[in-house]
Short mmCIF file of all heavy atoms in Angstrom, two decimals:
data_model
loop_
_atom_site.label_atom_id
_atom_site.label_comp_id
_atom_site.label_asym_id
_atom_site.label_seq_id
_atom_site.Cartn_x
_atom_site.Cartn_y
_atom_site.Cartn_z
N VAL C 276 17.50 -34.46 4.70
CA VAL C 276 16.37 -35.40 4.57
C VAL C 276 16.18 -35.69 3.08
O VAL C 276 15.27 -36.44 2.74
CB VAL C 276 15.06 -34.73 5.15
CG1 VAL C 276 15.20 -34.75 6.68
CG2 VAL C 276 14.63 -33.48 4.56
N ASP C 277 17.05 -35.20 2.17
CA ASP C 277 16.93 -35.48 0.71
C ASP C 277 16.97 -36.96 0.52
O ASP C 277 16.32 -37.43 -0.51
CB ASP C 277 17.92 -34.72 -0.08
CG ASP C 277 19.36 -34.93 0.41
OD1 ASP C 277 19.64 -35.00 1.66
OD2 ASP C 277 20.36 -35.01 -0.44
N GLY C 278 17.65 -37.85 1.14
CA GLY C 278 17.78 -39.18 0.98
C GLY C 278 16.53 -40.04 1.18
O GLY C 278 16.40 -41.15 0.72
N HIS C 279 15.51 -39.43 1.82
CA HIS C 279 14.29 -40.04 1.98
C HIS C 279 13.31 -40.00 0.69
O HIS C 279 12.47 -40.88 0.60
CB HIS C 279 13.34 -39.42 3.11
CG HIS C 279 14.01 -39.67 4.50
ND1 HIS C 279 14.02 -40.91 5.10
CD2 HIS C 279 14.66 -38.83 5.29
CE1 HIS C 279 14.65 -40.82 6.24
NE2 HIS C 279 14.94 -39.48 6.45
N PHE C 280 13.69 -39.07 -0.30
CA PHE C 280 12.75 -38.87 -1.35
C PHE C 280 13.26 -39.69 -2.63
O PHE C 280 14.36 -39.39 -3.08
CB PHE C 280 12.75 -37.34 -1.63
CG PHE C 280 11.97 -36.68 -0.62
CD1 PHE C 280 12.51 -36.20 0.59
CD2 PHE C 280 10.59 -36.33 -0.73
CE1 PHE C 280 11.88 -35.57 1.66
CE2 PHE C 280 9.87 -35.63 0.19
CZ PHE C 280 10.50 -35.33 1.40
N GLY C 281 12.50 -40.46 -3.10
CA GLY C 281 12.83 -41.23 -4.30
C GLY C 281 12.17 -40.69 -5.52
O GLY C 281 12.62 -41.15 -6.60
N HIS C 282 11.13 -39.80 -5.37
CA HIS C 282 10.43 -39.33 -6.52
C HIS C 282 10.22 -37.83 -6.39
O HIS C 282 9.88 -37.35 -5.17
CB HIS C 282 9.15 -40.08 -6.78
CG HIS C 282 9.40 -41.56 -6.77
ND1 HIS C 282 9.82 -42.24 -7.89
CD2 HIS C 282 9.27 -42.55 -5.84
CE1 HIS C 282 10.07 -43.52 -7.55
NE2 HIS C 282 9.68 -43.73 -6.32
N PHE C 283 10.20 -37.08 -7.38
CA PHE C 283 9.99 -35.69 -7.37
C PHE C 283 9.03 -35.28 -8.40
O PHE C 283 9.15 -35.78 -9.62
CB PHE C 283 11.17 -34.88 -7.65
CG PHE C 283 12.28 -35.27 -6.44
CD1 PHE C 283 13.07 -36.31 -6.56
CD2 PHE C 283 12.27 -34.29 -5.33
CE1 PHE C 283 13.99 -36.57 -5.48
CE2 PHE C 283 13.20 -34.63 -4.38
CZ PHE C 283 13.98 -35.70 -4.40
N ALA C 284 8.04 -34.29 -8.23
CA ALA C 284 7.15 -33.85 -9.20
C ALA C 284 7.03 -32.25 -8.92
O ALA C 284 7.02 -31.96 -7.86
CB ALA C 284 5.76 -34.47 -9.21
N TYR C 285 7.04 -31.52 -9.94
CA TYR C 285 7.04 -30.02 -9.78
C TYR C 285 5.81 -29.45 -10.64
O TYR C 285 5.71 -29.90 -11.73
CB TYR C 285 8.37 -29.45 -10.30
CG TYR C 285 9.54 -29.97 -9.44
CD1 TYR C 285 10.35 -31.06 -9.85
CD2 TYR C 285 9.72 -29.47 -8.21
CE1 TYR C 285 11.36 -31.51 -9.08
CE2 TYR C 285 10.76 -29.95 -7.39
CZ TYR C 285 11.54 -31.05 -7.84
OH TYR C 285 12.56 -31.49 -7.04
N SER C 286 5.30 -28.44 -10.14
CA SER C 286 4.15 -27.81 -10.79
C SER C 286 4.54 -27.37 -12.23
O SER C 286 3.67 -27.41 -13.02
CB SER C 286 3.58 -26.68 -10.06
OG SER C 286 3.04 -27.17 -8.84
N ALA C 287 5.82 -26.94 -12.42
CA ALA C 287 6.16 -26.44 -13.70
C ALA C 287 6.16 -27.60 -14.81
O ALA C 287 6.17 -27.33 -16.05
CB ALA C 287 7.62 -25.86 -13.67
N GLU C 288 6.09 -28.90 -14.33
CA GLU C 288 6.07 -29.96 -15.25
C GLU C 288 4.63 -30.28 -15.73
O GLU C 288 4.34 -31.08 -16.53
CB GLU C 288 6.57 -31.27 -14.60
CG GLU C 288 8.07 -31.15 -14.21
CD GLU C 288 8.48 -32.38 -13.48
OE1 GLU C 288 8.22 -32.57 -12.37
OE2 GLU C 288 9.14 -33.20 -14.07
N CYS C 289 3.68 -29.59 -15.03
CA CYS C 289 2.28 -29.98 -15.25
C CYS C 289 1.53 -28.77 -16.00
O CYS C 289 2.01 -27.71 -15.96
CB CYS C 289 1.58 -30.06 -13.87
SG CYS C 289 2.26 -31.39 -12.85
N GLU C 290 0.47 -29.14 -16.60
CA GLU C 290 -0.34 -28.09 -17.37
C GLU C 290 -0.99 -27.10 -16.35
O GLU C 290 -1.06 -25.98 -16.71
CB GLU C 290 -1.41 -28.81 -18.11
CG GLU C 290 -2.25 -27.95 -19.13
CD GLU C 290 -3.11 -28.59 -19.97
OE1 GLU C 290 -2.68 -29.75 -20.38
OE2 GLU C 290 -4.17 -28.09 -20.23
N ARG C 291 -1.45 -27.62 -15.24
CA ARG C 291 -2.12 -26.76 -14.27
C ARG C 291 -1.37 -26.91 -12.95
O ARG C 291 -1.08 -27.98 -12.59
CB ARG C 291 -3.58 -27.18 -14.12
CG ARG C 291 -4.38 -27.19 -15.38
CD ARG C 291 -5.70 -27.71 -15.21
NE ARG C 291 -5.53 -29.16 -14.82
CZ ARG C 291 -6.61 -29.85 -14.29
NH1 ARG C 291 -7.74 -29.39 -14.19
NH2 ARG C 291 -6.47 -31.10 -13.91
N GLY C 292 -1.24 -25.77 -12.25
CA GLY C 292 -0.67 -25.70 -10.89
C GLY C 292 -1.84 -25.94 -9.87
O GLY C 292 -2.91 -26.13 -10.30
N LYS C 293 -1.50 -26.05 -8.62
CA LYS C 293 -2.45 -26.16 -7.47
C LYS C 293 -3.28 -24.89 -7.61
O LYS C 293 -2.80 -23.89 -7.95
CB LYS C 293 -1.67 -26.10 -6.18
CG LYS C 293 -0.72 -27.33 -5.86
CD LYS C 293 0.08 -27.17 -4.72
CE LYS C 293 1.03 -28.27 -4.48
NZ LYS C 293 1.79 -28.17 -3.35
N PRO C 294 -4.57 -25.01 -7.43
CA PRO C 294 -5.25 -26.16 -6.80
C PRO C 294 -5.73 -27.21 -7.69
O PRO C 294 -6.38 -28.15 -7.18
CB PRO C 294 -6.54 -25.40 -6.28
CG PRO C 294 -6.83 -24.27 -7.15
CD PRO C 294 -5.41 -23.87 -7.66
N ALA C 295 -5.29 -27.38 -8.98
CA ALA C 295 -5.58 -28.51 -9.63
C ALA C 295 -4.60 -29.75 -9.12
O ALA C 295 -3.55 -29.43 -8.57
CB ALA C 295 -5.20 -28.34 -11.13
N PRO C 296 -5.11 -30.91 -9.25
CA PRO C 296 -4.31 -32.02 -8.60
C PRO C 296 -3.26 -32.53 -9.38
O PRO C 296 -2.50 -33.53 -8.96
CB PRO C 296 -5.37 -33.13 -8.41
CG PRO C 296 -6.25 -32.93 -9.70
CD PRO C 296 -6.39 -31.29 -9.89
N ASP C 297 -2.82 -31.98 -10.57
CA ASP C 297 -1.93 -32.49 -11.46
C ASP C 297 -0.49 -32.91 -10.81
O ASP C 297 0.12 -33.89 -11.14
CB ASP C 297 -1.61 -31.51 -12.67
CG ASP C 297 -2.88 -31.18 -13.41
OD1 ASP C 297 -4.02 -31.34 -12.89
OD2 ASP C 297 -2.80 -30.65 -14.55
N VAL C 298 0.07 -32.05 -10.01
CA VAL C 298 1.35 -32.27 -9.49
C VAL C 298 1.35 -33.53 -8.52
O VAL C 298 2.20 -34.28 -8.46
CB VAL C 298 1.99 -31.04 -8.83
CG1 VAL C 298 1.32 -30.76 -7.49
CG2 VAL C 298 3.48 -31.29 -8.59
N PHE C 299 0.18 -33.71 -7.85
CA PHE C 299 0.04 -34.92 -6.97
C PHE C 299 -0.13 -36.09 -7.78
O PHE C 299 0.37 -37.18 -7.43
CB PHE C 299 -1.21 -34.72 -6.06
CG PHE C 299 -0.94 -33.60 -4.97
CD1 PHE C 299 -1.48 -32.38 -5.13
CD2 PHE C 299 -0.09 -33.86 -3.91
CE1 PHE C 299 -1.31 -31.44 -4.09
CE2 PHE C 299 0.15 -33.02 -3.03
CZ PHE C 299 -0.44 -31.75 -2.99
N LEU C 300 -0.90 -36.03 -8.90
CA LEU C 300 -1.07 -37.10 -9.73
C LEU C 300 0.27 -37.53 -10.45
O LEU C 300 0.54 -38.88 -10.55
CB LEU C 300 -2.10 -36.87 -10.90
CG LEU C 300 -3.55 -36.66 -10.28
CD1 LEU C 300 -4.38 -36.15 -11.44
CD2 LEU C 300 -4.11 -37.75 -9.69
N LEU C 301 1.07 -36.57 -10.78
CA LEU C 301 2.40 -36.94 -11.36
C LEU C 301 3.30 -37.62 -10.41
O LEU C 301 3.93 -38.51 -10.70
CB LEU C 301 2.93 -35.53 -11.93
CG LEU C 301 4.39 -35.75 -12.50
CD1 LEU C 301 4.39 -36.71 -13.81
CD2 LEU C 301 4.85 -34.36 -12.86
N ALA C 302 3.35 -37.11 -9.18
CA ALA C 302 4.01 -37.85 -8.08
C ALA C 302 3.57 -39.14 -7.77
O ALA C 302 4.46 -40.14 -7.72
CB ALA C 302 3.90 -36.94 -6.79
N ALA C 303 2.29 -39.39 -7.89
CA ALA C 303 1.65 -40.69 -7.65
C ALA C 303 2.14 -41.68 -8.81
O ALA C 303 2.72 -42.76 -8.61
CB ALA C 303 0.23 -40.80 -7.61
N GLN C 304 2.19 -41.23 -10.06
CA GLN C 304 2.56 -41.86 -11.21
C GLN C 304 4.01 -42.29 -11.11
O GLN C 304 4.47 -43.38 -11.31
CB GLN C 304 2.35 -41.13 -12.50
CG GLN C 304 2.76 -41.77 -13.68
CD GLN C 304 2.61 -40.83 -14.94
OE1 GLN C 304 2.68 -39.65 -14.82
NE2 GLN C 304 2.45 -41.44 -16.11
N ARG C 305 4.85 -41.21 -10.64
CA ARG C 305 6.28 -41.61 -10.63
C ARG C 305 6.69 -42.51 -9.44
O ARG C 305 7.64 -43.18 -9.50
CB ARG C 305 7.12 -40.31 -10.42
CG ARG C 305 7.07 -39.42 -11.68
CD ARG C 305 7.76 -38.20 -11.58
NE ARG C 305 7.90 -37.58 -13.04
CZ ARG C 305 8.16 -36.28 -13.10
NH1 ARG C 305 8.57 -35.53 -12.21
NH2 ARG C 305 8.19 -35.82 -14.38
N CYS C 306 5.76 -42.66 -8.45
CA CYS C 306 5.90 -43.69 -7.43
C CYS C 306 5.36 -45.09 -7.86
O CYS C 306 5.76 -46.10 -7.31
CB CYS C 306 5.25 -43.27 -6.19
SG CYS C 306 5.88 -41.93 -5.24
N GLY C 307 4.75 -45.07 -9.07
CA GLY C 307 4.20 -46.31 -9.46
C GLY C 307 3.05 -46.79 -8.69
O GLY C 307 2.65 -47.94 -8.53
N ALA C 308 2.24 -45.75 -8.15
CA ALA C 308 1.10 -45.99 -7.24
C ALA C 308 -0.14 -45.30 -7.81
O ALA C 308 -0.07 -44.23 -8.35
CB ALA C 308 1.35 -45.59 -5.88
N ASP C 309 -1.18 -46.02 -7.56
CA ASP C 309 -2.52 -45.46 -7.86
C ASP C 309 -2.71 -44.29 -6.89
O ASP C 309 -2.36 -44.59 -5.77
CB ASP C 309 -3.64 -46.57 -7.68
CG ASP C 309 -4.98 -46.10 -8.19
OD1 ASP C 309 -5.57 -45.44 -7.27
OD2 ASP C 309 -5.29 -46.32 -9.38
N PRO C 310 -3.40 -43.23 -7.28
CA PRO C 310 -3.67 -42.14 -6.28
C PRO C 310 -4.36 -42.60 -5.05
O PRO C 310 -4.18 -42.06 -3.98
CB PRO C 310 -4.50 -41.16 -7.12
CG PRO C 310 -4.09 -41.35 -8.50
CD PRO C 310 -3.64 -42.80 -8.65
N ALA C 311 -5.23 -43.64 -5.19
CA ALA C 311 -6.03 -44.18 -4.00
C ALA C 311 -5.11 -44.80 -2.99
O ALA C 311 -5.52 -45.00 -1.97
CB ALA C 311 -7.12 -45.10 -4.50
N GLU C 312 -3.86 -45.16 -3.54
CA GLU C 312 -2.89 -45.74 -2.60
C GLU C 312 -1.85 -44.87 -2.07
O GLU C 312 -0.92 -45.28 -1.41
CB GLU C 312 -2.11 -46.91 -3.49
CG GLU C 312 -2.88 -47.99 -3.93
CD GLU C 312 -2.11 -48.83 -4.98
OE1 GLU C 312 -1.35 -48.32 -5.73
OE2 GLU C 312 -2.53 -50.09 -5.08
N CYS C 313 -2.20 -43.52 -2.20
CA CYS C 313 -1.23 -42.56 -1.68
C CYS C 313 -1.84 -41.69 -0.62
O CYS C 313 -3.05 -41.51 -0.66
CB CYS C 313 -0.89 -41.60 -2.79
SG CYS C 313 -0.09 -42.34 -4.20
N VAL C 314 -1.10 -41.26 0.30
CA VAL C 314 -1.53 -40.13 1.21
C VAL C 314 -0.62 -38.96 0.90
O VAL C 314 0.54 -38.96 0.63
CB VAL C 314 -1.30 -40.71 2.69
CG1 VAL C 314 0.16 -40.84 3.03
CG2 VAL C 314 -1.85 -39.61 3.67
N ALA C 315 -1.45 -37.85 0.84
CA ALA C 315 -0.77 -36.57 0.52
C ALA C 315 -0.65 -35.55 1.64
O ALA C 315 -1.76 -35.55 2.51
CB ALA C 315 -1.54 -35.84 -0.62
N PHE C 316 0.43 -34.97 1.99
CA PHE C 316 0.54 -34.08 3.07
C PHE C 316 0.69 -32.66 2.51
O PHE C 316 1.63 -32.38 1.67
CB PHE C 316 1.93 -34.40 3.78
CG PHE C 316 1.68 -35.65 4.57
CD1 PHE C 316 2.17 -37.03 3.94
CD2 PHE C 316 1.22 -35.82 5.90
CE1 PHE C 316 2.01 -38.11 4.51
CE2 PHE C 316 1.10 -37.02 6.56
CZ PHE C 316 1.57 -38.21 5.85
N GLU C 317 -0.13 -31.75 2.92
CA GLU C 317 -0.25 -30.45 2.33
C GLU C 317 -0.60 -29.36 3.46
O GLU C 317 -1.40 -29.72 4.35
CB GLU C 317 -1.24 -30.38 1.24
CG GLU C 317 -1.48 -29.08 0.53
CD GLU C 317 -0.31 -28.49 -0.07
OE1 GLU C 317 0.16 -29.00 -1.13
OE2 GLU C 317 0.15 -27.40 0.43
N ASP C 318 -0.13 -28.10 3.45
CA ASP C 318 -0.59 -27.22 4.31
C ASP C 318 -1.31 -25.97 3.73
O ASP C 318 -1.94 -25.19 4.41
CB ASP C 318 0.65 -26.77 5.16
CG ASP C 318 1.63 -25.91 4.11
OD1 ASP C 318 2.01 -26.37 3.14
OD2 ASP C 318 1.92 -24.82 4.64
N SER C 319 -1.17 -25.68 2.50
CA SER C 319 -1.87 -24.39 1.99
C SER C 319 -3.24 -24.83 1.47
O SER C 319 -3.56 -25.95 1.16
CB SER C 319 -1.03 -23.95 0.70
OG SER C 319 -1.03 -24.84 -0.44
N GLU C 320 -3.98 -23.79 1.43
CA GLU C 320 -5.46 -23.91 0.87
C GLU C 320 -5.52 -24.49 -0.55
O GLU C 320 -6.25 -25.38 -0.82
CB GLU C 320 -6.15 -22.58 0.99
CG GLU C 320 -7.57 -22.83 0.63
CD GLU C 320 -8.46 -21.42 0.77
OE1 GLU C 320 -7.89 -20.57 1.49
OE2 GLU C 320 -9.52 -21.31 0.19
N ALA C 321 -4.64 -23.88 -1.29
CA ALA C 321 -4.60 -24.39 -2.71
C ALA C 321 -4.16 -25.83 -2.86
O ALA C 321 -4.77 -26.62 -3.59
CB ALA C 321 -3.65 -23.45 -3.54
N GLY C 322 -3.25 -26.16 -2.06
CA GLY C 322 -2.69 -27.60 -2.00
C GLY C 322 -3.71 -28.68 -1.44
O GLY C 322 -3.87 -29.71 -1.88
N VAL C 323 -4.42 -28.11 -0.36
CA VAL C 323 -5.47 -29.04 0.22
C VAL C 323 -6.56 -29.30 -0.80
O VAL C 323 -7.08 -30.50 -1.01
CB VAL C 323 -6.03 -28.41 1.56
CG1 VAL C 323 -7.20 -29.15 2.03
CG2 VAL C 323 -4.78 -28.43 2.63
N ILE C 324 -6.95 -28.32 -1.49
CA ILE C 324 -7.96 -28.37 -2.55
C ILE C 324 -7.39 -29.40 -3.59
O ILE C 324 -8.23 -30.39 -4.00
CB ILE C 324 -8.41 -27.10 -3.18
CG1 ILE C 324 -9.12 -26.28 -2.21
CG2 ILE C 324 -9.32 -27.24 -4.41
CD1 ILE C 324 -9.19 -24.80 -2.62
N ALA C 325 -6.17 -29.22 -4.06
CA ALA C 325 -5.50 -30.03 -5.07
C ALA C 325 -5.46 -31.43 -4.59
O ALA C 325 -5.78 -32.41 -5.27
CB ALA C 325 -4.17 -29.60 -5.40
N ASP C 326 -5.03 -31.79 -3.37
CA ASP C 326 -4.90 -33.19 -2.95
C ASP C 326 -6.15 -33.77 -2.49
O ASP C 326 -6.14 -34.96 -2.14
CB ASP C 326 -3.71 -33.37 -1.97
CG ASP C 326 -4.01 -32.84 -0.57
OD1 ASP C 326 -5.19 -32.79 -0.11
OD2 ASP C 326 -3.06 -32.58 0.24
N SER C 327 -7.30 -33.06 -2.51
CA SER C 327 -8.52 -33.64 -2.07
C SER C 327 -9.38 -33.86 -3.28
O SER C 327 -10.56 -34.45 -3.15
CB SER C 327 -9.20 -32.74 -1.08
OG SER C 327 -9.67 -31.55 -1.68
N LEU C 328 -9.05 -33.55 -4.48
CA LEU C 328 -9.85 -33.81 -5.73
C LEU C 328 -9.97 -35.30 -6.02
O LEU C 328 -8.91 -35.86 -6.18
CB LEU C 328 -9.37 -33.02 -6.88
CG LEU C 328 -9.36 -31.44 -6.66
CD1 LEU C 328 -8.75 -30.59 -7.80
CD2 LEU C 328 -10.85 -31.02 -6.54
N ASP C 329 -11.10 -35.65 -6.43
CA ASP C 329 -11.34 -37.13 -6.56
C ASP C 329 -10.89 -37.37 -8.17
O ASP C 329 -11.46 -36.73 -8.86
CB ASP C 329 -12.81 -37.52 -6.52
CG ASP C 329 -13.01 -38.96 -6.76
OD1 ASP C 329 -12.19 -39.65 -7.20
OD2 ASP C 329 -14.16 -39.37 -6.52
N VAL C 330 -9.99 -38.25 -8.33
CA VAL C 330 -9.52 -38.50 -9.79
C VAL C 330 -9.75 -39.88 -9.96
O VAL C 330 -9.26 -40.42 -11.05
CB VAL C 330 -8.06 -38.19 -9.88
CG1 VAL C 330 -7.83 -36.64 -9.76
CG2 VAL C 330 -7.20 -38.84 -8.80
N SER C 331 -10.55 -40.66 -9.29
CA SER C 331 -10.92 -42.05 -9.56
C SER C 331 -11.64 -42.22 -10.80
O SER C 331 -12.51 -41.35 -11.19
CB SER C 331 -11.63 -42.63 -8.39
OG SER C 331 -12.81 -42.07 -8.16
N PRO C 332 -11.48 -43.32 -11.44
CA PRO C 332 -12.20 -43.44 -12.85
C PRO C 332 -13.75 -43.27 -12.75
O PRO C 332 -14.44 -42.71 -13.55
CB PRO C 332 -11.86 -44.86 -13.24
CG PRO C 332 -10.58 -45.15 -12.51
CD PRO C 332 -10.66 -44.37 -11.22
N ALA C 333 -14.29 -43.79 -11.47
CA ALA C 333 -15.81 -43.65 -11.40
C ALA C 333 -16.23 -42.19 -11.27
O ALA C 333 -17.38 -41.98 -11.44
CB ALA C 333 -16.22 -44.49 -10.18
N ARG C 334 -15.25 -41.29 -10.86
CA ARG C 334 -15.74 -39.89 -10.58
C ARG C 334 -15.13 -38.88 -11.52
O ARG C 334 -15.16 -37.73 -11.37
CB ARG C 334 -15.28 -39.59 -9.21
CG ARG C 334 -15.67 -40.60 -8.21
CD ARG C 334 -16.63 -40.27 -7.21
NE ARG C 334 -17.03 -38.96 -7.06
CZ ARG C 334 -17.30 -38.42 -5.82
NH1 ARG C 334 -17.25 -39.16 -4.74
NH2 ARG C 334 -17.70 -37.19 -5.74
N LYS C 335 -14.58 -39.29 -12.70
CA LYS C 335 -13.96 -38.37 -13.60
C LYS C 335 -14.79 -37.36 -14.14
O LYS C 335 -14.43 -36.35 -14.48
CB LYS C 335 -13.20 -39.12 -14.76
CG LYS C 335 -12.02 -39.84 -14.34
CD LYS C 335 -11.18 -40.09 -15.39
CE LYS C 335 -9.82 -40.67 -14.82
NZ LYS C 335 -8.84 -41.02 -15.64
N ASP C 336 -16.07 -37.52 -14.25
CA ASP C 336 -17.14 -36.60 -14.68
C ASP C 336 -17.55 -35.74 -13.56
O ASP C 336 -18.35 -34.72 -13.79
CB ASP C 336 -18.31 -37.28 -15.36
CG ASP C 336 -17.85 -38.07 -16.67
OD1 ASP C 336 -16.86 -37.61 -17.28
OD2 ASP C 336 -18.42 -39.04 -16.91
N SER C 337 -17.19 -36.00 -12.41
CA SER C 337 -17.65 -35.11 -11.20
C SER C 337 -16.61 -34.19 -10.78
O SER C 337 -15.45 -34.34 -11.09
CB SER C 337 -17.92 -36.18 -9.99
OG SER C 337 -18.22 -35.51 -8.80
N THR C 338 -17.01 -33.16 -10.21
CA THR C 338 -16.14 -32.15 -9.62
C THR C 338 -15.94 -32.32 -8.08
O THR C 338 -15.45 -31.51 -7.32
CB THR C 338 -16.63 -30.66 -9.86
OG1 THR C 338 -17.98 -30.62 -9.31
CG2 THR C 338 -16.61 -30.45 -11.28
N GLN C 339 -16.58 -33.39 -7.52
CA GLN C 339 -16.60 -33.70 -6.07
C GLN C 339 -15.23 -34.01 -5.66
O GLN C 339 -14.54 -34.96 -6.26
CB GLN C 339 -17.63 -34.76 -5.79
CG GLN C 339 -17.74 -35.01 -4.37
CD GLN C 339 -18.50 -33.75 -3.70
OE1 GLN C 339 -19.22 -33.24 -4.34
NE2 GLN C 339 -18.29 -33.74 -2.51
N PRO C 340 -14.64 -33.38 -4.56
CA PRO C 340 -13.41 -33.71 -4.07
C PRO C 340 -13.18 -35.08 -3.47
O PRO C 340 -14.14 -35.68 -3.06
CB PRO C 340 -13.11 -32.66 -3.03
CG PRO C 340 -14.11 -31.62 -3.28
CD PRO C 340 -15.18 -32.21 -4.04
#
Side-chain angles (χ1 to χ4, degrees):
V276 295
D277 53 318
H279 290 291
F280 290 83
H282 308 280
F283 298 86
Y285 300 99
S286 293
E288 299 176 285
C289 302
E290 187 174 323
R291 303 172 300 165
K293 297 173 187 175
D297 300 19
V298 71
F299 291 104
L300 297 174
L301 179 59
Q304 178 186 30
R305 288 186 174 162
C306 287
D309 185 278
E312 300 169 325
C313 300
V314 61
F316 295 88
E317 176 63 68
D318 68 309
S319 72
E320 183 177 343
V323 170
I324 292 168
D326 75 21
S327 67
L328 293 176
D329 185 351
V330 294
S331 63
R334 310 248 345 218
K335 285 203 175 180
D336 295 328
S337 173
T338 58
Q339 189 65 26

